[in-house]
Amino acid sequence: MSKTLFIKTWGCQMNVYDSARMADVLAPLGYRPVDRPDDADMVILNTCHIREKASEKVFSELGRLRALKARKAAGGGRMVLAVAGCVGQAEGAEIMARAPYVDLVFGPQTFHRLPELVTRADGHPGGVLDIEFPAESKFDFLPEEQTGQGLSAFLAVQEGCDKFCTFCVVPYTRGAEFSRPAGPILAEARRLIHSGAREITLLGQNVNAWHGEAPAGGGRHWGLGRLVRAVAELDGLLRLRYTTSHPGDMDDDLMSAHGEVPGLMPFVHLPVQSGSDGILVAMNRRHTVDDYRRRVDRLRHFRADLALSSDFIVGFPGESDADFAATLGLVEQVGYAQAYSFKYSPRPGTPAAELDRQVPETVRDERLTALQALLNRQQLAFNRAAVGSVMPVLFDRPGRRPGQMLGRSPFMQAVHVAGDDALSGRLAEVRILAGHPNSLSGCLVGRDGAPVVPEDAPRAPEVIA
Ligand code: 5AD
Ligand code: SF4
């Protein structure tokens, strides 16, 4: 019998990937994805615990769904309500206690057991909790992908983390570092391409720490540089990316791939968190500012036009004005195409939450504003610097206005052109005419460099991401 499934996803790309795989696990049970919770027979909240207010958001969403569930029950129907992901893992017992109408709570490592969990929840009015870190890997039990992810697909190659940065919940919510073997990764990549993917992003919490068994087995292992080269050779794939990396795991084989593998995009997300050595030690990052700068230089040695993105935390406990100034200084030196910056948020159970010298909220606010102003200036400068150049853009969706298409540059910039749906799924050369804070606009050019669509065609407006 056909049943409907609604999944709401918060957090990182790994969560987006996991949600797609949960839908795959539930498909053989007759569940088909829908876009609204209102008519769903099952609702899963796939949650994120990385920063504060995560669990409050989950509880307020649960409050709304509770009313929906009650309405369904009053009409003789049933809605299975589940909490998945990192809040489920970290606060499963509390969720069961505070929201007894929740049928199921499970973490990122047990969703391959969903069929069994759904059956158990059926005869268990008190709800079912599964936040174990099982000995088996879920990847060995997940069915093949049922639904393609479209033109640009995620592929999880590595999960979890053994680095234990003192601010971070990931080692506790996702568990120990684990690398999938290369064989199943290549098989999944081939299936994604077969179902329409032209761009694949290899995912991992610490993706460049990946060290999976080689396809031939025999106890031999590959690093990410080798895997990137193998995936890039697959027929039909146009673009390859990987995220998120740790500076300490950036080896020469991976960095040199940026100079040797044409499909590997010249854009790397390499979080540094802080520009102060003292703060990096307190964060247990295991690298210095100089190590980071040298990695950046080496990447640019292999690929001169490589663009960088990063994550920053401001207001880590003990961060002085001088430490923060060092972060601004590093940003000035490196020059980012884009970046994410966050106020430090003490996470329960992490070592940094116990540190003295927490930075006052007002100071954290001021520092975040200053850092974001600088990063926004750099992003605008980077976008404006593209004006006049011609670059390949992979088009995947209509723009906001009729007659516009939206795609991505090699550097992940959103690019608008005048064009129609025939462009969808195509890689086309675009002359960049304008750089905005969050996007570029341009016009298609033919092989001879002449515009395909007249330059005076309606100009694409800025898109606020
Ligand atoms: N507070 C603020 N930001 C955090 N991040 C991770 N943990 C915290 C925290 N406790 C940020 C880091 C990381 C990104 C995914 O989220 O910058 O790289
Ligand atoms: Fe959030 Fe981290 Fe879990 Fe991703 S792994 S959902 S970022 S807490």
PDB file of all heavy atoms in Angstrom, residues 10-12 15 47-50 86 169-170 173-174 205, ligand 2:
ATOM      1  N   TRP A  10      17.629  19.648   8.752  1.00  0.00           N
ATOM      2  CA  TRP A  10      18.435  20.780   9.179  1.00  0.00           C
ATOM      3  C   TRP A  10      19.911  20.398   9.019  1.00  0.00           C
ATOM      4  O   TRP A  10      20.249  19.218   8.937  1.00  0.00           O
ATOM      5  CB  TRP A  10      18.224  21.061  10.669  1.00  0.00           C
ATOM      6  CG  TRP A  10      16.957  21.722  11.070  1.00  0.00           C
ATOM      7  CD1 TRP A  10      16.710  23.066  11.107  1.00  0.00           C
ATOM      8  CD2 TRP A  10      15.759  21.099  11.545  1.00  0.00           C
ATOM      9  NE1 TRP A  10      15.438  23.296  11.571  1.00  0.00           N
ATOM     10  CE2 TRP A  10      14.844  22.122  11.847  1.00  0.00           C
ATOM     11  CE3 TRP A  10      15.364  19.773  11.743  1.00  0.00           C
ATOM     12  CZ2 TRP A  10      13.564  21.867  12.339  1.00  0.00           C
ATOM     13  CZ3 TRP A  10      14.101  19.525  12.231  1.00  0.00           C
ATOM     14  CH2 TRP A  10      13.215  20.552  12.522  1.00  0.00           C
ATOM     15  N   GLY A  11      20.798  21.418   9.049  1.00  0.00           N
ATOM     16  CA  GLY A  11      22.223  21.138   9.211  1.00  0.00           C
ATOM     17  C   GLY A  11      22.991  20.941   7.931  1.00  0.00           C
ATOM     18  O   GLY A  11      22.690  21.548   6.898  1.00  0.00           O
ATOM     19  N   CYS A  12      23.969  20.056   8.013  1.00  0.00           N
ATOM     20  CA  CYS A  12      25.003  19.978   6.977  1.00  0.00           C
ATOM     21  C   CYS A  12      24.562  19.151   5.778  1.00  0.00           C
ATOM     22  O   CYS A  12      23.505  18.531   5.766  1.00  0.00           O
ATOM     23  CB  CYS A  12      26.256  19.371   7.579  1.00  0.00           C
ATOM     24  SG  CYS A  12      25.994  17.686   8.206  1.00  0.00           S
ATOM     25  N   ASN A  15      23.615  15.613   6.375  1.00  0.00           N
ATOM     26  CA  ASN A  15      22.224  15.386   6.771  1.00  0.00           C
ATOM     27  C   ASN A  15      21.305  15.332   5.553  1.00  0.00           C
ATOM     28  O   ASN A  15      20.356  14.555   5.530  1.00  0.00           O
ATOM     29  CB  ASN A  15      21.760  16.486   7.741  1.00  0.00           C
ATOM     30  CG  ASN A  15      21.731  15.995   9.181  1.00  0.00           C
ATOM     31  OD1 ASN A  15      22.403  15.020   9.507  1.00  0.00           O
ATOM     32  ND2 ASN A  15      20.959  16.654  10.016  1.00  0.00           N
ATOM     33  N   THR A  47      17.697  16.208  12.319  1.00  0.00           N
ATOM     34  CA  THR A  47      18.114  17.384  13.087  1.00  0.00           C
ATOM     35  C   THR A  47      19.625  17.592  13.140  1.00  0.00           C
ATOM     36  O   THR A  47      20.404  16.672  12.901  1.00  0.00           O
ATOM     37  CB  THR A  47      17.614  17.224  14.530  1.00  0.00           C
ATOM     38  OG1 THR A  47      18.208  16.029  15.062  1.00  0.00           O
ATOM     39  CG2 THR A  47      16.101  17.120  14.583  1.00  0.00           C
ATOM     40  N   CYS A  48      19.998  18.825  13.530  1.00  0.00           N
ATOM     41  CA  CYS A  48      21.409  19.214  13.646  1.00  0.00           C
ATOM     42  C   CYS A  48      21.666  19.761  15.058  1.00  0.00           C
ATOM     43  O   CYS A  48      20.841  20.494  15.592  1.00  0.00           O
ATOM     44  CB  CYS A  48      21.705  20.292  12.610  1.00  0.00           C
ATOM     45  SG  CYS A  48      23.312  21.065  12.825  1.00  0.00           S
ATOM     46  N   HIS A  49      22.821  19.430  15.609  1.00  0.00           N
ATOM     47  CA  HIS A  49      23.116  19.821  16.988  1.00  0.00           C
ATOM     48  C   HIS A  49      24.352  20.713  17.075  1.00  0.00           C
ATOM     49  O   HIS A  49      24.888  20.947  18.147  1.00  0.00           O
ATOM     50  CB  HIS A  49      23.353  18.538  17.806  1.00  0.00           C
ATOM     51  CG  HIS A  49      23.125  18.701  19.263  1.00  0.00           C
ATOM     52  ND1 HIS A  49      24.056  18.331  20.200  1.00  0.00           N
ATOM     53  CD2 HIS A  49      22.085  19.196  19.955  1.00  0.00           C
ATOM     54  CE1 HIS A  49      23.589  18.593  21.401  1.00  0.00           C
ATOM     55  NE2 HIS A  49      22.400  19.112  21.291  1.00  0.00           N
ATOM     56  N   ILE A  50      24.795  21.238  15.939  1.00  0.00           N
ATOM     57  CA  ILE A  50      26.123  21.859  15.900  1.00  0.00           C
ATOM     58  C   ILE A  50      26.189  23.145  16.720  1.00  0.00           C
ATOM     59  O   ILE A  50      27.192  23.418  17.360  1.00  0.00           O
ATOM     60  CB  ILE A  50      26.592  22.090  14.442  1.00  0.00           C
ATOM     61  CG1 ILE A  50      28.095  22.327  14.378  1.00  0.00           C
ATOM     62  CG2 ILE A  50      25.869  23.225  13.756  1.00  0.00           C
ATOM     63  CD1 ILE A  50      28.882  21.109  14.174  1.00  0.00           C
ATOM     64  N   CYS A  86      21.381  14.420  14.650  1.00  0.00           N
ATOM     65  CA  CYS A  86      22.318  14.657  15.750  1.00  0.00           C
ATOM     66  C   CYS A  86      21.641  15.089  17.053  1.00  0.00           C
ATOM     67  O   CYS A  86      22.153  14.794  18.124  1.00  0.00           O
ATOM     68  CB  CYS A  86      23.388  15.649  15.296  1.00  0.00           C
ATOM     69  SG  CYS A  86      24.422  14.953  13.973  1.00  0.00           S
ATOM     70  N   VAL A 169      30.535  19.043  18.668  1.00  0.00           N
ATOM     71  CA  VAL A 169      29.745  17.874  19.086  1.00  0.00           C
ATOM     72  C   VAL A 169      29.891  16.678  18.141  1.00  0.00           C
ATOM     73  O   VAL A 169      29.470  15.569  18.487  1.00  0.00           O
ATOM     74  CB  VAL A 169      28.226  18.201  19.159  1.00  0.00           C
ATOM     75  CG1 VAL A 169      27.910  19.100  20.322  1.00  0.00           C
ATOM     76  CG2 VAL A 169      27.705  18.779  17.849  1.00  0.00           C
ATOM     77  N   VAL A 170      30.464  16.905  16.957  1.00  0.00           N
ATOM     78  CA  VAL A 170      30.423  15.854  15.937  1.00  0.00           C
ATOM     79  C   VAL A 170      30.991  14.498  16.401  1.00  0.00           C
ATOM     80  O   VAL A 170      30.379  13.465  16.150  1.00  0.00           O
ATOM     81  CB  VAL A 170      31.086  16.330  14.622  1.00  0.00           C
ATOM     82  CG1 VAL A 170      31.312  15.185  13.655  1.00  0.00           C
ATOM     83  CG2 VAL A 170      30.199  17.382  13.957  1.00  0.00           C
ATOM     84  N   THR A 173      28.151  12.950  18.270  1.00  0.00           N
ATOM     85  CA  THR A 173      26.877  12.659  17.606  1.00  0.00           C
ATOM     86  C   THR A 173      27.050  11.722  16.405  1.00  0.00           C
ATOM     87  O   THR A 173      26.176  10.909  16.124  1.00  0.00           O
ATOM     88  CB  THR A 173      26.173  13.942  17.115  1.00  0.00           C
ATOM     89  OG1 THR A 173      27.012  14.611  16.190  1.00  0.00           O
ATOM     90  CG2 THR A 173      25.832  14.867  18.269  1.00  0.00           C
ATOM     91  N   ARG A 174      28.164  11.855  15.704  1.00  0.00           N
ATOM     92  CA  ARG A 174      28.367  11.022  14.513  1.00  0.00           C
ATOM     93  C   ARG A 174      29.280   9.843  14.791  1.00  0.00           C
ATOM     94  O   ARG A 174      29.394   8.934  13.968  1.00  0.00           O
ATOM     95  CB  ARG A 174      28.958  11.854  13.374  1.00  0.00           C
ATOM     96  CG  ARG A 174      28.009  12.873  12.822  1.00  0.00           C
ATOM     97  CD  ARG A 174      27.393  12.389  11.530  1.00  0.00           C
ATOM     98  NE  ARG A 174      26.282  13.216  11.116  1.00  0.00           N
ATOM     99  CZ  ARG A 174      25.416  12.875  10.172  1.00  0.00           C
ATOM    100  NH1 ARG A 174      25.520  11.733   9.547  1.00  0.00           N
ATOM    101  NH2 ARG A 174      24.429  13.645   9.856  1.00  0.00           N
ATOM    102  N   GLN A 205      32.594  14.401   7.213  1.00  0.00           N
ATOM    103  CA  GLN A 205      32.825  15.416   8.241  1.00  0.00           C
ATOM    104  C   GLN A 205      34.284  15.843   8.205  1.00  0.00           C
ATOM    105  O   GLN A 205      34.643  16.935   8.585  1.00  0.00           O
ATOM    106  CB  GLN A 205      32.500  14.856   9.635  1.00  0.00           C
ATOM    107  CG  GLN A 205      31.118  15.192  10.134  1.00  0.00           C
ATOM    108  CD  GLN A 205      30.106  14.172   9.660  1.00  0.00           C
ATOM    109  OE1 GLN A 205      30.428  13.002   9.569  1.00  0.00           O
ATOM    110  NE2 GLN A 205      28.908  14.615   9.366  1.00  0.00           N
TER     111      GLN A 205
HETATM  112 FE1  SF4 B   2      24.884  19.217  12.404  1.00  0.00          FE
HETATM  113 FE2  SF4 B   2      27.330  18.254  12.672  1.00  0.00          FE
HETATM  114 FE3  SF4 B   2      25.294  16.613  12.838  1.00  0.00          FE
HETATM  115 FE4  SF4 B   2      25.926  17.721  10.475  1.00  0.00          FE
HETATM  116  S1  SF4 B   2      27.174  16.303  11.697  1.00  0.00           S
HETATM  117  S2  SF4 B   2      23.910  17.520  11.324  1.00  0.00           S
HETATM  118  S3  SF4 B   2      26.628  19.760  11.154  1.00  0.00           S
HETATM  119  S4  SF4 B   2      25.785  18.293  14.238  1.00  0.00           S
END
